[in-house]
Amino acid sequence: RPLRFRPPAPERKPNRSVTVTSTSSTTPKSCGISNTMEEADKLSSFATAEKDAMNGKPPPLIITKATDFLREATSTDRSLLSSLATLVIKSIEFQVSLMLSFVKFPPWLIHICLSFVMDPYRTMRRGRRYLISKVVELCELGLNDDKLVLETVRRLALGLLWAVHVVIVLFAMLVSAFMISGFVLTLLAHEPLVVKESLSFDYTKNNPEAYVPITPVNSPNQRTEVSVSMTLPESEYNRNLGMFQVRVEFLSENGQVLATSRRPCMLRFRTEPIRLVRTFLKIAPLVSGYVSETQTLKVKLKGFSEKDVVSTACVKVMIEQRAEFRGGAGVPEIYEASLLLESELPFLKRMIWNWRRTLFVWISMCLFVTELVFVRCLIIPRAGQRT
């Protein structure tokens, strides 16, 4: 049958038979009637749209726009939910991978360091192959036709490789310079003999004495300095005692006196007002026990030198009273005492020992610069290697 054109039927407008007009206010009855009319209009419009769809007529424009809006809102909600779910999954995956990388990194770093220590050239070759494989992967991703990008990537890879090589070589040279400098200083610098012992005086004797055994490690004719430190209470007996004497003797294994030295000492004098003022200012520490009323005397004795024939085996420290006192009298009260024995090195060795840290740094830097001059071929790449 031939197709005949039928003009579209005019849209039927719903008849609104009830109109409410009021100048002052609307009554509940009129509101109910208007709501009923609006619902009837909606039902009639939907019924008309269904009849038109059954007759093959296109739906009205309002219904089409509403349907499109609902579809767009539904698709937007679905895309938003899917993007949020994807973002959460990716964040969880990133956190898990980060934790695994933190766990794997220390063993991997230890393995690389041990491999470099055991076989540095093999480790460098492996690093080079790794960089080349990365460049090949970039080429397979679609950079075959772009020669400029490939050349840039190649230059960056070679530059990174040479930078790592230079850092490794410089670090090895610096470590070797430090090691050689330390070895040289161990041969040149000699530590002086230092012996520090506490003294326990025997007060059963007329002259209290104490013995300190030492090991004969000094070289012949080497001078030794002895320091005796004594802590005395500021008691009335010690203040009135006045002068007394400290005697030090170097003894051999047979008890023979090799060297002896004496030095007088006494408490520092303080007048009564000064002592009272100091006590008043320090009353809180004195009462709490942090400070005590004591004085520390340091007696230094020099000039001892060990002979070639007999070596020193023991040091004897003795406290002697003045001549006006009888035996056993005129001895001070002592809280504690100690002996410090230091050997005096020759001038050159003493300078080396006192400046050993500075010499260590200077020797290390000189060796490092010397290595740079003679081993520059390993650091600066040649033109042939670049091509």
Side-chain angles (χ1 to χ4, degrees), residues 331-383:
V331 179
E333 298 172 347
I334 298 176
Y335 277 154
E336 60 182 6
S338 62
L339 173 70
L340 179 62
L341 185 66
E342 294 179 344
S343 61
E344 185 179 353
L345 297 174
F347 177 76
L348 182 59
K349 292 183 178 181
R350 187 167 64 252
M351 293 296 294
I352 293 174
W353 176 255
N354 293 334
W355 293 82
R356 60 187 182 278
R357 295 183 179 85
T358 306
L359 290 175
F360 174 76
V361 174
W362 277 103
I363 293 173
S364 301
M365 291 298 103
C366 292
L367 289 175
F368 181 69
V369 172
T370 305
E371 290 176 354
L372 284 177
V373 172
F374 287 99
V375 199
R376 65 181 183 275
C377 59
L378 295 177
I379 302 176
I380 303 175
R382 292 174 294 180

Side-chain angles (χ1 to χ4, degrees), residues 195-201 210-213 228-229 315 317 335-340:
V195 178
K196 186 174 183 180
E197 295 288 341
S198 60
L199 300 176
S200 298
F201 291 98
Y211 294 90
V212 177
V228 179
S229 177
V315 176
V317 181
Y335 277 154
E336 60 182 6
S338 62
L339 173 70
L340 179 62

